[in-house]
Structures are given as C-alpha cells and as structure tokens.
Amino acid sequence: MSFTTHTGNRGLVLEEKLIFEMGEPGRTGVDLPKPAGIKSRLGGLDRDSDVGLPGLSEPQVVRHFTRLSQKNFGIDSGFFPLGSCTMKHNPRLNEKVARMPGLADLHPMQPESTVQGALELIDSCAHWLLVLTGMPAVAMSPAAGAQGELCGMMAIRAALDARGENRRRVLVPESAHGTNPATAAACGFTVDSIPATEDGRVDLAAFEAKLGDDVAGIMLTNPNTCGLFERDVRKIADLVHAAGGYFYCDGANFNAIVGRVRPADLGIDAMHINLHKTFSTPHGGGGPGSGPVVFSEALAPFAPIPYVVRKGETFHLVETADEKDGNKPFGRLKGFHGQMGMFIRALAYMKSHGADGLRQASGDAVLNANYLLARLKDKLSVAFPGYCMHEALFDDDFLKDTGVSTLDLAKAIIDEGFHPMTMYFPLVVHGALLIEPTETETKESIDQFCDAVLALVAKAESGGAEFFKNAPYLTPRRRLDETAAARKPVLRWMPETA
Amino acid sequence: MRYLPLTSADRASMLETIGAGSVDELYSDVPDGALLSEPVDLPYHLGELQVERDMAKLAAKNMGTASVPSFLGAGAYRHHVPATVDYIIQRGEFLTAYTPYQPEIAQGTLQYLFEFQTQVASITGMDVANASMWDGATSCAEAVLMACRATRRKKAVLSGGLHPHYREVTETYCQYSDTEVAGRDGHPEKQATADELDDLIDDQTACVVVQYPDVFGRIQDHTKLADACHAKGALLIVVFTEAMAFGAVKSPGSFGADIVCGEGQSIGNNLNYGGPYVGLFATTSKLVRQMPGRLCGETVDQDGKRGFVLTLSTREQHIRREKATSNICTNSGLCSLAFTVHMSLLGEDGYRGVATLNHETACKTADAIDAVPGAELVNDSFFNEFTVKLAKPAAEVVEALVGKGVLGGVPLSRLYPNRDDLDHYMLVAATETNTDEDIADLASALKEVLA
C-alpha cells in the first residue's frame, strides 16, 4: 500500500523543514532593548556583512524543536537495550538540582572563597568514587570516557618518563573499544593486539608471551565488551606489574560491579568511570559525558591539574603544577575544572541510591541481563557459554541460511517499538548483537522484548527475508543511504543559488 | 529504592528461569575474596526530599553570579538563556537519547546537528563545522593536531594572546606526539602586531594559533598573518572564547583562517562552574576529512525523502582505531542542542542585536572603571571584555570586591600564576545581563577598594 498526502505528513508524524528554509528576515525570537548608539571600539573590524541566520519567532522555534524531538527515541520513550552504552533511567531530580541557583550559575574563575560549596561537592563526588573503587586518588576533570583513557595513559607515560624508561608498547585486547587503541596512539604508544580465547576472554598465554621490557602496560576492559568478567584479571595485573608495566582498566562497564567489586582489589593502576553510564547522567543524544579517572598510589602523583584538596573545613583548588607536595601533574586536560554539571547529577544519583541501592542496582542489572540471556538462548546463538554480566552477547549463527542479517533484524525490532541492541560490536564475534537491559527495566518489559525478538526470529526462519530487507516500515524515515552521504558529503545547508 | 522496579518475587522467579541459586552466583567469575558481601562504607539511600536538601545546602555556600553584580569572563560568560532553551533540552526524547546510531529513529538529533553545523559554519565564516567538541580548549588542541596531520609538519606556533588554559591543554595533547609547541609570552600593554609571530614561521611550521578577540580582549586583523602562514605552507588557526563576538566583528573566515575553533558556552549554555561546555570547530571544505569528531550529513532514505546520518566515520576511532583522526567518541550533543535552539531564537537580528548590546555595555563599563582613581583601561579595542590596570594587586582587589558583594573580574595572576609582571591587571567582562546599576555598583566598590 502506498499513499501520499499533499503535505508529506503522515497522520501526526509531521514533516519539518530546516530552520534555514522557514525563517523570514526581520523576525526574531528574542526581545532586546534598542542599541544606545555608542561609538564602537571594535578595532575597525565591525562586521559589515550578514551572518546568514534565519529569523524565527519563539512559537516557531518551540514547534520546530518539539517536532524534531518527536522523531527521536530516548530511554524515556521506551526499552533501549543498547549494549555497552548503558541506557538506564535518568531521574529528573538530578536535572532539578543541577539547575539550582548557586550551582548552575557559578563562574569557573570566581574567587575560591565564593565557591566553597562547589568545591565541597566535587570533593564529595570524588569521595564516593574513591570508596566505590577502593582507589587512593582521582582526577575529576576528564570530559568523557575517551578523555579519561587519555588521562590514564598520559599518567602512565609520565610515570614511565619519571622512571627514565622508554617503554612504548601497549597491549590491547581485540575486543577493546576503538577509543583504546586511538588513545594509546595519541600518547605515542604503539598498539599490540591480544587475541581472545574461545570463551571470550583475554588469552592469558598469548598475553604472557607478549610481555617484555618495552611494554608500557595493558588496556583491559573489565567487565569486558563481550559482557564477561575477566576471570584472570588478578593474574593479568600481577604479570604486567612483574614485567614493569601498568594496568589501565577501561571502566565503561563499571555499572555491572559497582558496590560489589572494588577495582583496587583487582590490581588496577588507573580506570576511568563514565559517569553518564554508571551514575546515570543523561546521554543527551551523544553527550556531554564525564570521565573521572581513579589512580593507584603509583600513578596518583601524575594526575593532571586542577584538583581539589581539603584543608580542615575549607577546600582549595590546585590549578598549577606545584611539586612541593610530591605531585608531578602531567598537565591540564580541559579548559576549566571538569564537567561540574555531571558531578552534581552523579552525586544526586549516588546519594539517592546509597551504598545499599548501588549494590542492588548492579545486582539487578546483572540479573536482568542473565534473565534475557536465559529467555533467548534456545533460539539465538549465544556467543560464549556461562553467565554474563550486565549485557548478553549473541552472534549471527542463528540467522544462518535465513537471508536475514543482524542489521535487518535490528531494523525490524524498531517497528516493534524498541531501540535495537548494539550491532556488530564487539568485532570478535560475527554479526554481534549486544543486548543490555539495565537495572531500571521491569521483568515485563524484558519479556515483551524477548517475545518480540523470538517472533521475529521465527519469521526469519520461515522465509521472511524480503520483509526484513525492507524494515523498518513505520519510522519517520526508512533506511537511509549512508554510502551516498559519505561519497558526496553535504554537511551544511546552503542557500539555493539561482 | 524508587529507581529499581524488580520485586523480591520477580528476582526469585528470574533466578529460577536462569537456573541460578542467587545473584552472587552470577558473579562466580570474580576471583575469590574480591566479591564484597556487604555494602561499602558510604551512606544508605536517601529520599528525593533529603537529596534535594543536601544539594541546596551546598548551593547555599556559594555566591552565584546571578545573585550579585558579576563581571567575570576569561573564557566563560554569563548570558541570558531564554526559557525556551531549557524547556527544549529537557524534553526526554532529546535528553535521554543516545548517539544517533539508528538514524531512522534519531532524525531529531541528526537534524539539529545539521542545523548546528550550519550555524557554526555561518558565524565563523567557514565552509563546514563538526557536530561539536568537548570545550574550547580541547577544540584548540585537536585543531593543532589536525594541522600537523594535514601539513605533515611538527611545529605549532602559539600567540601570546591565546588563553593560557588553551595553551596548557594544547601542550598536554602535543607532549607525547613529537609536536613542538613554540610561541611568545603575551602582555596586555605590549600591543601584539600583525607580524608578532612572523619570524617564528618556517618551513616546519604546521600552524599558527591566534585568539580573536585575544585573551586580553583585543581585536586584531589577522589577514597579514594568514598570508604569511600560507606563503610558508602553514595553516592559520583562529581560536575564540566568546562566540557572541561574531555578531559584531568580522568573521575569522573573512581573513583567511584555515581552522576556526573555540568555546560555544556563551550561546544557550549556563556557566556550570566550568562544564559541560561545547567546543566549536570549523574548517574549509578542503580539510574536512582531517577533522576530528562527529559529522552529520544529508542523504535520502529508501523512499527518497531527505534525511540525515552520521557520516565520514572512516576518520573515526571505531573504524580506524589507532589511525583515527582523534580518540573522541562522545561529543557535547545536548549542549550543542542548547546552542542551536538559542541561536534559532536569536536569528540574524537577535544575534547581531545581542552582540551590539554586549559591546555597548562593555563600553559603558570600561568608561566607568577608567574614571575610578587607581584603575586604568588598557585596551584600545575590545568586544565585551577588556583589561584594567590597577594601583593594587588585582587578586587582592577582587577579594575585597567580594566583601562588597561584587564579583569584579578575573585577576591575570589567576591565569598566569608565574608572571609577576601581570599582578596588577584584571580582566573585566560585561554582557547584556549587566545593568546600569551593576556597573555603578562595580565602579563605586572599586573606588572604595582602591582608595
């Protein structure tokens, strides 16, 4: 059935132009006082041409962005089991407190005496992270997980330099996030890949064989990107330490173990924590994130500036590389002191959960993932045997001979009203489907998802390939031509030239 | 625990389906002794009311910029954010969405990123912009690394007018990649001429980095510098900390910049004590494939309708791994939405109008301060921020102003802790949020403090 409306709208799914195609000169969405006509002192560089912005009224802007929002799926819209991304409930309390006067309106360069509450808040957030990880030091400033990695690896490089050692090889398992090798390269390291075993973990023998006096360290994700706990993590830590290297842990999956396992007890030297995953600061369509890094005694002195120190009842922000207290910071990573807005949300979340709730949350996340695994394992092909942590990994074996790919299945899941799982990651298994329900889902929602997936698999098995190739059918846009987008990139709107 | 929906009965029945005796059993891969049997030593959970009270107590210990006359700048600026901006960014479909990996159900995010890219390219006068960076300082560092990649050279020349934090972050990023960072110390009273950096540019120079307006507030024409760079095969990078400025001054693109990057916090985003902010990054069509970060591109769907997708991802870490243009994964999506909504509300007239208003307020503030004995305006040119020379050390003056309920400015000693020659200078910023009463309060408080 094909039916086209005059407007291009589809019932209440409304088409929406770009703002550049709907504005009128002379219209604006703000009311400003008239200029006083003061002679400008712009050094003779007064703007003498139009910027090229459209004029819209306030109601036009509200309607435009409301309509755009309706073409988006978020965790508030429904089940969003995107593995490795941890899409859990975002409490609105966190948003409310982050907007409090006295927090949202603080300037980063205010005198220290006027921001004691803010520094105390950073210190409290740091305290929670330190107790939960068992580590002695933390750098709060990294802007996101990837910058946290950079922070950790730079501390390792600085520690090696301080030891006068020219170790340049970093071991990175095959299943690592793409940010891990890119980060190691940014610190001047070369990347040496470690293969995975049959059961989805680091091949300990291969790892041991790669150790040597040129190894700076290992970057390991634990729980790893296959959704599994690295059983040999302590042996890995001991071996890399014995070889004179450091142990960087990618803490993207800390939410599986928070309150139950302390990274310090595993022999980790540095680990970033994605506040937006583990402590539920909202993902905002791709950011902002926040990636504080916890450090062992060995790496703590190299943590970057700035950092907060407590002196009795007052808090002090150290903004310069001051070696008097034994610290040798490797530099500064960010314009100011870090993602304060995220610290506020994360602290509100941690206080709301408490030590008891965080422990329950990680347990429920793991329980939900294993329940989903149990519900699907007879029909879908499980990538690795045994219990999973907070996410369940399948390969595409179960789709063999159906003519349906992982991508096709994902697109059909969209029509069922769910955000699809992570596809084709990790790369270590073929056609991966990585599913993470998180702890804030009910048993009912997981059941509903599993029932829908099982029905789709049955459809695929009974020769429905053609149907899958054309899914999704019901979305504001259907499959988009990504190849054309990359071949002739159109990255901005341009006025029509006659 | 109100965020956790499972009941004890749910948990029991789920464990039964799994075939496990307990949740602890699911953690059986954790090495012996590493699995905690009790909650860690932190407070137990609190209700919504108590958490709100705790946070309000912390907020009450601060002096907010909205509650007193405030003239702080130096890379972060208090502007009025229309109520509509916060309403839109709190819509759950924007707030709680992820990176638009499934474009069919993320057209809202993708379309505003396309609009954002267009707005950023327009205000900077460049061909293309990316879908945001973390902040201005990391944007600057990535621009330098990009220039090194594009020119296959290893030397970056940094102007003394560059914000010292931007310089520090750039040095941090370059320290392990064999990139040499050269440059000059800046001084608010030593007018940097257009050829300040000429003699540092040679055939190994990848880029020259200047700030516009510079960290002391001065506005200079960089046309000659662009020509000098291009004559030697180097790129000109123009950095800004105040995105509002381009509503009043010529764009960096108009004088030949190759990369323009900086801070977008001014538009749509709160001060937030330094973050999260939104890094802006724009360049020429020629260099687009060397760009770091995310890009959104226009395409069509299966039915021929216009749609948007993330594109040119072969530059990125998830494809190129250690050979990627940068390790960046997360961007500042929601902050770029705030920017886009605010910019849409402003439009051509509003953007230029609010810029004019900023400049006029700054002119009035500068004159009021200049009339105070012991305070002297240093700048010949400025947009909404300028440097003042004080008869007393600026840090002491700023602290004394706090005692009079005024957040007066940023002492240069805060930005340059190792430069004794700058102790008597203070940066003052004024925006459309400052009233005539604010300016009068600042001037009279300053008069008392300097007397």
Side-chain angles (χ1 to χ4, degrees):
Chain A
M1 179 197 69
S2 171
F3 176 74
T4 311
T5 58
H6 173 71
T7 55
N9 294 334
R10 183 195 163 97
L12 291 179
V13 181
L14 305 174
E15 288 299 310
E16 188 63 7
K17 292 177 181 174
L18 292 164
I19 49 167
F20 302 94
E21 296 164 339
M22 54 203 270
E24 291 294 333
R27 193 184 287 159
T28 182
V30 295
D31 287 322
L32 296 168
K34 281 221 165 17
I38 294 172
K39 187 175 176 299
S40 85
R41 299 189 224 177
L42 297 167
L45 288 168
D46 305 47
R47 178 178 271 281
D48 52 9
S49 61
D50 280 350
V51 182
L53 299 169
L56 293 91
S57 66
E58 184 177 300
Q60 275 185 300
V61 172
V62 169
R63 183 173 286 171
H64 174 71
F65 288 100
T66 301
R67 286 181 175 185
L68 291 192
S69 76
Q70 290 167 335
K71 300 182 197 311
N72 251 13
F73 193 90
I75 183 66
D76 286 357
S77 317
F79 191 58
F80 205 129
L82 198 60
S84 185
C85 299
T86 310
M87 298 298 294
K88 61 172 77 171
H89 174 59
N90 296 127
R92 284 310 191 279
L93 168 65
N94 302 354
E95 297 304 310
K96 185 177 181 185
V97 297
R99 285 168 173 80
M100 281 180 170
L103 291 179
D105 61 358
L106 296 182
H107 189 282
M109 296 270 106
Q110 284 186 225
E112 207 165 86
S113 61
T114 65
V115 287
Q116 284 297 305
L119 297 177
E120 184 179 344
L121 193 148
I122 296 174
D123 190 68
S124 295
C125 189
H127 176 74
W128 279 77
L129 298 179
L130 292 175
V131 173
L132 289 167
T133 57
M135 304 286 271
V138 60
M140 295 297 284
S141 71
Q147 208 188 24
E149 290 172 25
L150 196 66
C151 176
M153 293 310 286
M154 281 192 171
I156 288 174
R157 178 76 193 252
L160 290 169
D161 287 354
R163 276 161 47 181
E165 292 190 40
N166 191 35
R167 293 165 176 263
R168 291 293 175 268
R169 194 157 53 94
V170 171
L171 306 180
V172 184
E174 277 178 342
S175 60
H177 291 136
T179 47
N180 288 179
T183 296
C187 298
F189 294 120
T190 57
V191 175
D192 194 352
S193 189
I194 318 172
T197 55
E198 293 272 295
D199 67 352
R201 289 157 173 98
V202 169
D203 185 328
L204 200 60
F207 163 69
E208 211 171 340
K210 281 180 183 289
L211 286 171
D213 58 13
D214 64 334
V215 167
I218 182 172
M219 295 182 84
L220 181 79
T221 306
N222 194 26
N224 71 19
T225 53
C226 298
L228 304 169
F229 196 89
E230 293 282 354
R231 286 183 207 113
D232 296 323
V233 57
R234 275 183 169 159
K235 274 182 222 155
I236 290 167
D238 290 346
L239 287 167
V240 77
H241 289 149
Y246 294 98
F247 182 2
Y248 185 82
C249 181
D250 181 319
N253 296 330
F254 185 48
N255 62 306
I257 57 172
V258 65
R260 289 174 184 268
V261 180
R262 288 180 304 194
D265 297 335
L266 305 175
I268 287 161
D269 290 304
M271 183 183 94
H272 77 265
I273 300 164
N274 302 71
L275 295 186
H276 51 290
K277 294 185 184 187
T278 303
F279 302 110
S280 95
T281 68
H283 294 63
S290 179
V293 180
V294 288
F295 288 110
S296 64
E297 294 288 355
L299 292 181
F302 305 98
I305 54 164
Y307 52 89
V308 176
V309 291
R310 185 182 192 137
K311 287 179 177 169
E313 286 309 297
T314 61
F315 297 86
H316 171 52
L317 185 71
V318 179
E319 289 184 283
T320 56
D322 184 352
E323 295 191 30
K324 269 176 283 185
D325 56 357
N327 287 338
K328 302 165 193 159
F330 66 73
R332 171 188 282 277
L333 277 173
K334 203 174 174 295
F336 296 109
H337 333 307
Q339 308 285 57
M340 179 65 167
M342 306 294 113
F343 305 156
I344 301 168
R345 290 171 175 84
L347 184 62
Y349 178 85
M350 290 190 279
K351 281 171 171 278
S352 297
H353 268 294
D356 52 336
L358 288 170
R359 186 180 160 78
Q360 185 71 64
S362 54
D364 285 353
V366 170
L367 180 64
N368 276 351
N370 278 286
Y371 176 67
L372 183 141
L373 182 74
R375 287 263 354 244
L376 297 180
K377 70 178 176 191
D378 294 337
K379 269 287 185 189
L380 278 64
S381 37
V382 179
F384 302 106
Y387 296 132
C388 62
M389 296 306 286
H390 61 300
E391 50 195 354
L393 179 63
F394 303 90
D395 60 30
D396 63 357
D397 244 22
F398 70 101
L399 293 171
K400 215 167 151 186
D401 305 326
T402 61
V404 176
S405 69
T406 296
L407 178 78
D408 297 333
L409 179 66
K411 298 304 181 192
I413 287 174
I414 293 176
D415 278 338
E416 299 290 339
F418 308 108
H419 194 286
M421 62 283 157
T422 293
M423 312 174 299
Y424 304 106
F425 180 82
L427 303 171
V428 286
V429 303
H430 196 267
L433 300 84
L434 187 62
I435 314 180
E436 178 177 2
T438 83
E439 72 276 9
T440 53
E441 290 303 328
T442 58
K443 179 174 174 294
E444 290 77 5
S445 69
I446 298 170
D447 280 331
Q448 194 186 32
F449 175 79
C450 290
D451 292 342
V453 169
L454 292 171
L456 287 172
V457 172
K459 189 166 187 159
E461 284 170 346
S462 58
E466 201 47 41
F467 167 83
F468 284 92
K469 290 283 171 232
N470 287 310
Y473 295 88
L474 305 173
T475 47
R477 286 293 178 273
R478 298 186 57 210
R479 281 201 209 186
L480 291 130
D481 191 342
E482 300 191 30
T483 314
R487 197 169 292 151
K488 278 190 80 178
V490 178
L491 304 174
R492 64 173 293 183
W493 177 87
M494 291 288 271
E496 298 268 344
T497 42
Chain B
M1 216 298 129
R2 65 192 184 280
Y3 303 151
L4 301 176
L6 296 185
T7 63
S8 306
D10 286 335
R11 291 186 185 109
S13 101
M14 290 163 82
L15 282 169
E16 199 182 321
T17 304
I18 295 165
S22 67
V23 168
D24 272 3
E25 193 185 317
L26 304 174
Y27 285 87
S28 54
D29 286 328
V30 176
D32 287 346
L35 192 64
L36 304 174
S37 55
E38 295 295 326
V40 294
D41 184 20
L42 286 166
Y44 275 34
H45 71 271
L46 297 175
E48 182 157 342
L49 178 64
Q50 292 98 316
V51 174
E52 209 175 311
R53 271 186 195 147
D54 278 9
M55 303 305 263
K57 261 186 212 161
L58 289 170
K61 292 180 184 175
N62 302 315
M63 182 188 273
T65 59
S67 61
V68 294
S70 169
F71 295 87
L72 302 162
Y77 303 87
R78 189 166 88 87
H79 290 284
H80 177 249
V81 179
T84 291
V85 174
D86 202 37
Y87 159 72
I88 294 291
I89 69 167
Q90 285 205 77
R91 286 189 64 93
E93 305 89 335
F94 285 132
L95 183 77
T96 74
Y98 197 68
T99 304
Y101 289 142
Q102 298 287 345
E104 296 87 353
I105 46 172
Q107 285 297 305
T109 294
L110 287 158
Q111 184 169 333
Y112 84 64
L113 290 178
F114 189 80
E115 293 173 344
F116 170 79
Q117 288 174 185
T118 307
Q119 288 169 342
V120 174
S122 299
I123 66 168
T124 55
M126 303 301 283
D127 299 331
V128 287
N130 73 8
S132 87
M133 311 286 282
W134 296 323
D135 71 354
T138 54
S139 224
C140 175
E142 292 281 357
V144 167
L145 294 178
M146 169 173 155
C148 292
R149 271 196 309 278
T151 60
R152 297 171 190 272
R153 294 180 181 186
K154 290 281 185 188
K155 186 171 131 189
V157 175
L158 273 46
S159 156
L162 180 64
H163 194 292
H165 291 182
Y166 286 45
R167 168 184 282 268
E168 287 170 35
V169 172
T170 302
E171 284 170 349
T172 300
Y173 270 65
C174 289
Q175 65 184 328
Y176 299 127
S177 65
D178 304 328
T179 305
E180 181 199 344
V181 180
R184 297 256 192 270
D185 279 348
H187 192 288
E189 293 203 70
K190 293 192 184 106
Q191 186 69 16
T193 60
D195 46 18
E196 166 209 18
L197 302 164
D198 259 10
D199 60 319
L200 292 176
I201 310 171
D202 57 31
D203 60 5
Q204 279 312 299
T205 306
C207 59
V208 173
V209 184
V210 289
Q211 188 174 318
Y212 171 83
D214 78 2
V215 68
F216 307 116
R218 300 174 301 202
I219 304 171
Q220 288 164 275
D221 187 342
H222 294 297
T223 311
K224 273 178 67 185
L225 184 61
D227 292 342
C229 287
H230 297 152
K232 294 257 172 66
L235 303 181
L236 178 67
I237 298 175
V238 177
V239 171
F240 59 91
T241 62
E242 174 50 291
M244 218 49 113
F246 302 138
V249 300
K250 283 183 179 157
S251 73
S254 70
F255 48 69
D258 299 287
I259 304 173
V260 180
C261 60
E263 182 54 67
Q265 171 270 327
S266 277
I267 298 171
N269 287 276
N270 288 321
L271 285 168
N272 290 330
Y273 196 52
Y277 287 176
V278 49
L280 309 186
F281 197 109
T283 189
T284 58
S285 301
K286 204 177 109 190
L287 292 170
V288 68
R289 283 170 202 269
Q290 295 293 338
M291 243 186 176
R294 286 191 182 134
L295 290 171
C296 171
E298 185 183 316
T299 189
V300 289
D301 81 346
Q302 199 172 332
D303 298 333
K305 288 183 183 169
R306 176 171 69 181
F308 303 92
V309 292
L310 293 181
T311 192
L312 298 185
S313 57
T314 48
R315 303 162 301 116
E316 291 185 72
Q317 37 75 27
H318 61 276
I319 309 273
R320 294 258 288 167
R321 295 173 85 82
E322 67 265 32
K323 293 188 182 68
T325 55
S326 88
N327 75 329
I328 293 174
C329 181
T330 295
N331 65 345
S332 287
L334 201 67
C335 302
S336 63
L337 174 62
F339 180 102
T340 309
V341 178
H342 192 183
M343 198 55 114
S344 302
L345 286 163
L346 290 170
E348 185 79 25
D349 289 1
Y351 183 51
R352 299 185 67 170
V354 77
T356 304
L357 197 56
N358 269 252
H359 184 53
E360 292 194 338
T361 311
C363 288
K364 284 192 270 182
T365 311
D367 288 341
I369 293 176
D370 206 28
V372 173
E376 183 195 333
L377 174 69
V378 170
N379 292 52
D380 290 330
S381 65
F382 57 86
F383 168 59
N384 68 357
E385 182 163 28
F386 49 82
T387 308
V388 178
K389 187 173 188 186
L390 301 169
K392 291 182 180 175
E396 288 172 27
V397 172
V398 167
E399 201 58 52
L401 288 173
V402 167
K404 301 191 177 300
V406 175
L407 289 165
V410 176
L412 285 187
S413 57
R414 178 93 187 257
L415 293 174
Y416 298 91
N418 304 316
R419 291 269 306 271
D420 297 344
D421 58 327
L422 298 177
D423 278 355
H424 284 256
Y425 295 91
M426 174 172 78
L427 271 177
V428 177
T431 70
E432 77 285 357
T433 62
N434 294 112
T435 61
D436 288 348
E437 292 74 33
D438 287 349
I439 298 169
D441 285 353
L442 171 66
S444 72
L446 199 57
K447 201 170 172 182
E448 289 174 44
V449 169
L450 289 172

